[in-house]
Amino acid sequence: MQTKLAAIGEEALAAIQAAGSAAELEKLRVKYLGRKGVFRDVMADLKSLPPEEKPKIGQAANRLKKEIAAAIDNVKKELQAGKGPAEPTVTFDPSLPGRRPNIGHRHPITQMIDRIKDIFGRMGFSVAYGPDVDYARNNFEALNIPPDHPSRDAFDTFYFDKDVVLRSQTSTVQIRVMENQPPPVRVIAPGKTYRPDTVDATHCFMFHQVEGLYVDEGVTMADLKAVLTMFAREFFYPDVTIRFRPHFFPFTEPSVEVDVSCAICGGKGCSVCSRKGWIEFGGAGMVDPNVFEGVGYDAEKYTGFAFGLGIDRLVMMKYGIDDIRRFFENDMRFLSQF
Ligand code: FA5
């Protein structure tokens, strides 16, 4: 009986050491230790032994059972730790559909800037760019806003030092363009602008404007109204109307605020336009002769108009977006709709 036990032990331990997977180990466990396994026969054989031999052989059989169970556990741990032959963990199923890669697209504001460039481009406007960080002179003095001028409060500004700012309006580009080329000028200048405004549904500390500047002999406010009407009809819908309200900007005289008839209610009044039927979409006016003199243009010979539109709010109006913060939260559920 002892010889038989020794043979079982030798065979079992060798098979366990050679096992290459958890499944093989499980089969060996069932074969040797299972309810109908090899040790059930051993225990049955014990009954036929003389009584004085029974305890000794019984103990030896139990020791061997424990030894086999421990060997199975050890090899299992080794396999899990990656020592033994690796079990296939990733299975490739060629019948499954492929995973579509996420393809990005341009931000809605960028898409709309391209649309704005396209509309003004067809009216003969070229595109100019200026830096986000600019001299205070281009943001203020050259635009007829001296250091102590009260209107500087209206353009609350981020200063690097007293001479350098994050531009608070794209009107800086008017100066850069006019200082670099003689009239006639017909440009738009889209870009980022910055003001320390409290963030809410319609205000952000960083937003986008598009500046327009048209200087030539005989340019009038009728041209300004025609160009902005054409733009609004292309950008919003064909029968939209615009209106001018008197306003004040130091660099234009006369100055106006420009409203567009509400696209949602068609001008009747609704919650989007605060029951007014009109929504403000920017400032504009005839370039002040002081600005022309500062850049060396002949203010007797030339006249011009300028305008500055808030792009973020234009896009909000176009798509009925209720909060400017949606543009900057990077929420793909919002951005992927454009
Ligand atoms: C100006 O910035 C003038 N430079 C516009 C101008 C240009 C007038 C040329 C005359 C000639 P205003 O401060 O009103 O004007 O700003 C223009 C537009 O920018 C506003 O109508 C609004 O749409 C947008 N805007 C202003 N502040 C914010 C803000 N904090 N967040 C989002 N949009 C803003």
Side-chain angles (χ1 to χ4, degrees), residues 169 171 195 197 203-204 207 209 211 249 280 308 310 313:
Q169 47 182 345
S171 302
R195 292 181 195 176
D197 288 346
H203 292 83
C204 196
F207 54 101
Q209 287 188 343
E211 193 78 7
F249 291 105
E280 181 200 317
R313 292 198 198 155

Side-chain angles (χ1 to χ4, degrees), residues 154-155 168-171 174 195 197 202-205 207-209 211-212 249 251-252 257 280-285 306-313 324:
F155 301 99
S168 59
Q169 47 182 345
T170 43
S171 302
Q174 287 187 38
R195 292 181 195 176
D197 288 346
T202 52
H203 292 83
C204 196
F205 48 82
F207 54 101
H208 300 78
Q209 287 188 343
E211 193 78 7
F249 291 105
F251 35 92
T252 46
E257 278 200 316
E280 181 200 317
F281 88 120
F307 58 83
L309 314 178
I311 295 177
D312 315 76
R313 292 198 198 155
I324 196 170

Side-chain angles (χ1 to χ4, degrees), residues 105-322:
H105 63 71
R106 286 166 311 147
H107 190 276
I109 298 283
T110 313
Q111 292 180 35
M112 285 303 120
I113 290 176
D114 285 350
R115 173 119 184 80
I116 291 166
K117 288 196 288 200
D118 178 53
I119 296 171
F120 282 111
R122 279 184 274 132
M123 289 191 269
F125 285 78
S126 54
V127 182
Y129 296 99
D132 292 14
V133 178
D134 208 337
Y135 295 108
R137 177 194 166 271
N138 290 340
N139 204 76
F140 296 122
E141 286 85 348
L143 287 163
N144 200 28
I145 316 176
D148 55 349
H149 198 287
S151 74
R152 268 173 109 134
D153 293 346
F155 301 99
D156 226 357
T157 306
F158 290 111
Y159 281 86
F160 284 89
D161 58 43
K162 70 177 181 26
D163 297 324
V164 179
V165 298
L166 269 175
R167 67 177 177 192
S168 59
Q169 47 182 345
T170 43
S171 302
T172 50
V173 189
Q174 287 187 38
I175 303 304
R176 287 177 167 273
V177 169
M178 288 192 281
E179 284 183 340
N180 279 298
Q181 73 169 84
V185 171
R186 209 189 296 183
V187 290
I188 58 160
K192 292 189 171 69
T193 43
Y194 307 82
R195 292 181 195 176
D197 288 346
T198 305
V199 176
D200 62 21
T202 52
H203 292 83
C204 196
F205 48 82
M206 187 284 294
F207 54 101
H208 300 78
Q209 287 188 343
V210 56
E211 193 78 7
L213 176 68
Y214 184 9
V215 184
D216 205 344
E217 290 180 48
V219 176
T220 70
M221 248 180 137
D223 298 314
L224 170 62
K225 195 157 190 184
V227 164
L228 288 180
T229 304
M230 283 291 289
F231 169 72
R233 289 187 175 164
E234 285 278 316
F235 189 80
F236 293 111
Y237 62 101
D239 49 356
V240 82
T241 47
I242 65 164
R243 73 173 182 186
F244 285 169
R245 272 181 296 115
H247 195 65
F248 171 76
F249 291 105
F251 35 92
T252 46
E253 183 57 38
S255 301
V256 291
E257 278 200 316
V258 190
D259 294 339
V260 59
S261 56
C262 178
I264 309 290
C265 62
K268 290 191 197 87
C270 67
S271 59
V272 174
C273 59
S274 314
R275 318 261 157 235
K276 290 183 203 146
W278 298 93
I279 300 178
E280 181 200 317
F281 88 120
M286 300 305 291
V287 180
D288 192 294
N290 285 346
V291 175
F292 279 160
E293 270 155 33
V295 297
Y297 279 14
D298 182 348
E300 292 297 323
K301 188 172 176 196
Y302 295 105
T303 52
F305 67 71
F307 58 83
L309 314 178
I311 295 177
D312 315 76
R313 292 198 198 155
L314 284 180
V315 182
M316 288 170 77
M317 272 185 248
K318 184 168 171 68
Y319 292 115
I321 295 162
D322 60 350

Side-chain angles (χ1 to χ4, degrees), residues 35-51:
R35 274 196 306 123
K36 293 180 186 163
V38 172
F39 274 88
R40 196 188 70 155
D41 300 339
V42 171
M43 294 306 166
D45 289 349
L46 267 182
K47 288 184 191 142
S48 56
L49 288 177

